[in-house]
């Protein structure tokens, strides 16, 4: 079988940045979801996550890359989704996200060049301006798009996280290996 290659083509600059990544951090609203917030009459919050993004995150973790979430909002749904995806680095209720990012880098012994962050709004800029790979989504705020290194093909909540996961795996030559399990019946994902 020929080597598997993601559908998306990447510039050499983006591939060089992605090769160094050891940790991918995601914002939630607008990145892992489409950004819309649903509230019931009794105040319960609802969010919609895409299954393809979840599988991408699982595959990225299989390839040896750590994954985390940093979000300004506090939500039981996000905690549940993180547990479901076995994401151990989760920071919620962080109006200022940068300190959580720096804390995690210190804990994991990583420098900024080894971190990718995916955000969509201006509150994400402090981290995006510091990391080795700053990513946004097509519906991201215009200022964020101006400062991102790369914009995903798919929108937030609709495959954007999968785009990032596949970029990192492809750049590190793990994409083919991770995907081969689906052709051999060895699906540990």
């Amino acid at each position: 079988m020929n080597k598997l290659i993601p559908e998306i083509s990447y510039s050499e600059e983006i591939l060089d940045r992605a090769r160094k990544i050891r940790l991918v951090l995601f914002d939630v609203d607008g990145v892992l979801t489409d950004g819309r917030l649903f509230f019931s009459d009794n105040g319960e919050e609802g969010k919609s996550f895409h299954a393809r993004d979840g599988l991408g995150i699982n595959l990225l973790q299989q390839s040896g890359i750590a994954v985390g979430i940093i979000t300004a909002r506090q939500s039981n749904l996000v905690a549940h989704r993180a547990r479901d995806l076995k994401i151990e680095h989760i920071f919620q209720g962080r109006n200022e996200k940068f300190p959580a990012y720096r804390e995690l880098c210190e804990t994991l012994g990583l420098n900024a060049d080894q971190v990718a962050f995916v955000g969509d709004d201006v509150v994400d800029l402090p981290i995006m301006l510091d990391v080795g790979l700053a990513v946004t989504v097509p519906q991201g705020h215009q200022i964020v798009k101006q400062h991102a290194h790369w914009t995903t093909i798919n929108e937030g909540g609709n495959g954007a996280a999968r785009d990032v996961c596949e970029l990192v795996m492809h750049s590190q030559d793990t994409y083919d290996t991770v995907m081969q399990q689906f052709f051999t019946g060895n699906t540990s994902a």
Side-chain angles (χ1 to χ4, degrees), residues 7-25:
E7 293 179 53
I8 303 168
S9 62
Y10 312 99
S11 72
E12 271 309 308
E13 177 198 354
I14 295 305
L15 289 171
D16 286 343
R17 288 178 177 279
R19 281 185 192 101
K20 300 173 189 169
I21 300 305
R22 298 291 167 256
L23 169 66
V24 176
L25 295 171

Side-chain angles (χ1 to χ4, degrees), residues 23 25-29 32 68-73 78 89-102 104 117-118 124 127:
L23 169 66
L25 295 171
F26 294 96
D27 176 34
V28 175
D29 296 320
L32 293 179
I69 291 173
I70 301 178
T71 180
R73 296 183 57 78
V78 172
H89 309 293
I90 179 167
F91 298 87
Q92 292 198 76
R94 300 295 182 105
N95 290 325
E96 291 185 32
K97 298 177 182 185
F98 193 82
Y101 151 72
R102 291 305 307 153
L104 187 54
F117 183 78
V118 189
D124 300 316
I127 297 175

Side-chain angles (χ1 to χ4, degrees), residues 1 84 113-114 119 123 126 182:
M1 174 177 285
D84 183 49
D113 286 348
Q114 296 174 297
V123 298
F182 300 104

Side-chain angles (χ1 to χ4, degrees), residues 66-132:
V67 174
I69 291 173
I70 301 178
T71 180
R73 296 183 57 78
Q74 182 73 40
S75 169
N76 291 332
L77 292 170
V78 172
H80 180 75
R81 182 66 170 154
R83 277 191 307 276
D84 183 49
L85 297 176
K86 297 175 178 60
I87 297 173
E88 60 185 86
H89 309 293
I90 179 167
F91 298 87
Q92 292 198 76
R94 300 295 182 105
N95 290 325
E96 291 185 32
K97 298 177 182 185
F98 193 82
Y101 151 72
R102 291 305 307 153
E103 177 186 324
L104 187 54
C105 286
E106 189 174 308
T107 298
L108 298 177
L110 299 175
N111 63 50
D113 286 348
Q114 296 174 297
V115 181
F117 183 78
V118 189
D120 72 313
D121 212 339
V122 294
V123 298
D124 300 316
L125 281 174
I127 297 175
M128 293 178 75
L129 294 172
D130 196 62
V131 295

Side-chain angles (χ1 to χ4, degrees), residues 161-178:
R162 179 69 167 266
D163 290 348
V164 176
C165 295
E166 291 189 359
L167 161 63
V168 173
M169 290 186 292
H170 175 66
S171 74
Q172 298 181 10
D173 291 323
T174 58
Y175 181 84
D176 187 69
T177 304
V178 170

